[in-house]
Amino acid sequence: MEYEYIRLEKKGAAAIVTIDRPEALNALNLDTLLELDHCFIDLGEDEEVAVVILTGAGEKSFVAGADISHMQDLSVIEANRFARFGHKVLKTIEELPQPVIAAVNGFALGGGCEIAISCDIRYAAENAKFGQPEVNLGVIPGFGGTQRLPRLIGKGRANELLFSGDIIDAAEACRIGLVNRVFPQQELLEKCLGLAGRIASRGPLAVRLCKEAVNNGMEMDLARACRYEADLFGLCFASDEQGEGMLAFLEKRVPEFKKK
């Protein structure tokens, strides 16, 4: 499929998805969401891709939010459908078998913040800005912000951002755990690719099972989550990957994992 609003390129085992509407600060309209959904479904089935990096075109914005011009005149039913489709797309990203790194290179507001927190890891440029300013528009976050943000940074800090609509800088976002690390703008993609390369060099099944254990375990009580982890740990021993990894450790060499 050819895309109009996103770009897809591959560098080694990493796929880079760029939301490409710089004239609209990469705001999410329905067509962009449709393209993202299609792209991530395809990437989930691409066994040559070990890690996905999601970013925005230009130096000003990752994703400035959902497209207000698209939403302004929606009916109640249309708004509900738009939110539910946004949930579907972000769930596709969140549940991708491969790890997803958000390279936040500017504004990540509203839907942009929500799409960033649907990713597994967030690296930010020093100029990045984060926030859920929907209350300034008389609405609430509609793509999972009221649910994922408290799970990520805690209820109190999330409520402060959600209720006030305040925008915070990258340093503050890092301090409260909204992003993992902050880099100069010109180094951001390089740092993301570096992390992607390290992840891609590890056992591919083990990485995917780690993601599955974290995402699914977070929705369980601790006892059930630990049993679930034990089941996945045991599953690792059915693969050649475990044998090679442990043999390489004992032989004091770098493991040679087979990529599917």
Side-chain angles (χ1 to χ4, degrees), residues 10-254:
K10 295 180 182 179
K11 291 191 176 182
I16 303 172
V17 179
T18 303
I19 299 171
D20 192 15
R21 298 186 70 214
E23 74 288 348
L25 296 178
N26 303 319
L28 298 171
N29 61 8
L30 182 59
D31 289 337
T32 305
L33 287 168
L34 285 164
E35 290 186 5
L36 280 171
D37 193 47
H38 187 280
C39 180
F40 273 85
I41 289 172
D42 282 354
L43 287 172
E45 298 173 354
D46 190 335
E47 294 185 348
E48 294 183 355
V49 173
V51 184
V52 178
I53 298 170
L54 177 62
T55 193
E59 298 182 352
K60 293 182 179 180
S61 183
F62 171 69
V63 173
D67 194 327
I68 305 302
S69 64
H70 168 76
M71 294 191 296
Q72 182 179 7
D73 296 321
L74 295 179
S75 68
V76 172
I77 293 174
E78 290 168 338
N80 180 274
R81 287 174 178 168
F82 183 61
R84 287 180 181 273
F85 185 66
H87 288 163
K88 175 187 183 299
V89 177
L90 270 60
K91 186 177 180 182
T92 299
I93 295 171
E94 186 174 52
E95 295 183 351
L96 196 77
Q98 305 96 318
V100 183
I101 304 167
V104 183
N105 53 317
F107 292 115
L109 307 177
C113 188
E114 289 169 304
I115 200 170
I117 60 179
S118 74
C119 299
D120 301 293
I121 297 166
R122 285 154 294 282
Y123 278 6
E126 291 173 336
N127 70 321
K129 304 286 186 183
F130 296 85
Q132 299 286 167
E134 286 88 349
V135 291
N136 294 313
L137 304 174
V139 297
I140 70 169
F143 290 175
T146 64
Q147 304 306 309
R148 288 190 179 93
L149 194 60
R151 286 167 167 79
L152 180 64
I153 64 173
K155 182 179 176 182
R157 284 179 171 146
N159 284 344
E160 184 177 10
L161 291 174
L162 291 165
F163 300 168
S164 69
D166 286 348
I167 295 171
I168 60 174
D169 61 19
E172 176 66 3
C174 190
R175 188 187 72 81
I176 65 175
L178 181 52
V179 301
N180 297 74
R181 300 184 68 182
V182 180
F183 301 99
Q185 173 110 32
Q186 64 272 20
E187 297 178 14
L188 178 62
L189 189 56
E190 176 188 349
K191 295 295 186 181
C192 289
L193 285 168
L195 176 60
R198 295 196 300 279
I199 294 171
S201 72
R202 310 318 190 209
L205 176 63
V207 170
R208 292 186 180 211
L209 290 180
C210 273
K211 176 169 179 175
E212 187 174 329
V214 170
N215 283 359
N216 291 334
M218 288 288 288
E219 305 305 318
M220 304 175 187
D221 62 75
L222 183 59
R224 191 157 62 98
C226 286
R227 289 195 297 270
Y228 180 64
E229 179 191 77
D231 289 342
L232 295 182
F233 176 77
L235 186 60
C236 294
F237 286 74
S239 72
D240 295 337
E241 189 172 299
Q242 169 267 332
E244 167 60 15
M246 293 190 174
L247 181 62
F249 177 83
L250 295 172
E251 293 179 348
K252 296 180 171 58
R253 61 176 174 83
V254 177

